[in-house]
Amino acid sequence: MTVENLEATETAESPETAVSAETAEPAVAEADLERALEAILMVADEPMSVVTLATAVGAPVKRVRAAVDALVADFDGVDGGVRRGFELREVGGGWRIYVRAEYDAVVADYVLAQNPTKLSQAALETLAVIAYKQPISRGAIASIRAVNVDSVVRTLLGRGLITEMFTDSETGAINYGTTDLLLSQLGINSIDELPKISPLLADGTEGFDGDVR
C-alpha cells in the first residue's frame, strides 16, 4: 500500500471526518440544528461528546461544535439574552445540561416537597450500595444489583440523597456518593457510623441457597 493510499484510508476511517462529510444528507435542517441538540441534551443521562451528538443529528462535527458553543452562550445570556436557570457544561469529555449552582437549593427544596418521602425498595437497595461502596459508578451499581438503575439513580439525585462526586478521566463514567442530607435523615454524623454489614451476613455454617447472589 502506498503512502497516498494509507493516508486516504486513515482519513476515511476518521470518526470526525466520517461524520462531517459534506456529501452526507443531514438528518436535521441547518436552521434546526441548535434546537435539535438542545432537545437531545435535555434527555441525556450522561455527558455526550461532540462526535456522539454529530452522529445523532447527522451533521458535521465542526458545525455541531459551533452549535454547542452557541447554546452555551444562549443559556448564559450572552449578548443581552436571558440567562437561564440551567447551563450547558462540559464534563468528562462530553456535554450535559445542569441546574446552575445558585439554584441547587431551590430545586432540591421543590423536589423534596413534591415527592413522597418514602423510597421504593429498589431505591433503598441502590442507596445502600452507594452508601457502602462510594464512590461508585452507575455501571458498577447495576452490576451489583443485576438490574438497570438509571431511573433509581435519577430519583436519588432528585431527592438530594446522593451527588455526582467526580467523572472518571478514562471511562467518562460519573461516580456517585451520599450527601449530608442523607446523614441528617439517618441521624448520623459520618458515613463511617453506618452499621457493619458482616454481622448481618450468613456465616455459611448452615450452607447457602443455590440462588444466593
Side-chain angles (χ1 to χ4, degrees):
M1 180 180 291
T2 66
V3 174
E4 291 79 5
N5 289 336
L6 179 59
E7 290 177 347
T9 301
E10 290 176 345
T11 301
E13 293 177 350
S14 170
E16 181 163 331
T17 304
V19 174
S20 61
E22 294 295 340
T23 57
E25 185 69 23
V28 176
E30 179 69 23
D32 295 330
L33 181 57
E34 289 180 23
R35 300 286 77 85
L37 292 172
E38 182 178 0
I40 292 173
L41 289 163
M42 286 293 291
V43 299
D45 287 333
E46 300 285 349
M48 300 188 68
S49 70
V50 173
V51 171
T52 300
L53 289 170
T55 302
V57 297
V61 169
K62 185 177 181 179
R63 293 218 306 266
V64 170
R65 186 177 288 114
V68 168
D69 290 339
L71 284 175
V72 172
D74 182 15
F75 296 167
D76 288 347
V78 176
D79 297 330
V82 177
R83 187 170 184 267
R84 312 291 183 84
F86 50 86
E87 62 181 334
L88 184 54
R89 190 188 310 164
E90 187 174 18
V91 178
W95 293 89
R96 188 180 177 194
I97 292 176
Y98 290 86
V99 172
R100 291 193 186 276
E102 57 262 43
Y103 302 117
D104 279 346
V106 175
V107 173
D109 289 344
Y110 170 77
V111 172
L112 290 173
Q114 293 297 316
N115 286 291
T117 56
K118 186 176 181 180
L119 292 173
S120 66
Q121 184 65 30
L124 288 172
E125 292 175 1
T126 301
L127 183 56
V129 171
I130 296 173
Y132 281 98
K133 301 288 289 184
Q134 62 183 304
I136 184 171
S137 68
R138 192 178 307 193
I141 300 168
S143 178
I144 292 173
R145 294 203 57 230
V147 294
N148 186 292
V149 297
D150 289 355
S151 62
V152 177
V153 168
R154 283 197 297 269
T155 297
L156 295 175
L157 282 169
R159 298 287 186 88
L161 299 174
I162 64 173
T163 186
E164 297 177 358
M165 298 182 69
F166 62 88
T167 300
D168 189 285
S169 59
E170 295 184 359
T171 65
I174 296 173
N175 281 255
Y176 299 91
T178 53
T179 64
D180 290 340
L181 176 60
L182 176 63
L183 298 180
S184 64
Q185 294 286 337
L186 295 176
I188 58 179
N189 295 313
S190 169
I191 206 71
D192 295 331
E193 296 179 31
L194 286 173
K196 303 299 182 183
I197 294 180
S198 52
L200 304 177
L201 300 176
D203 59 11
T205 56
E206 297 181 2
F208 295 100
D209 294 333
D211 194 35
V212 171
R213 297 181 181 179

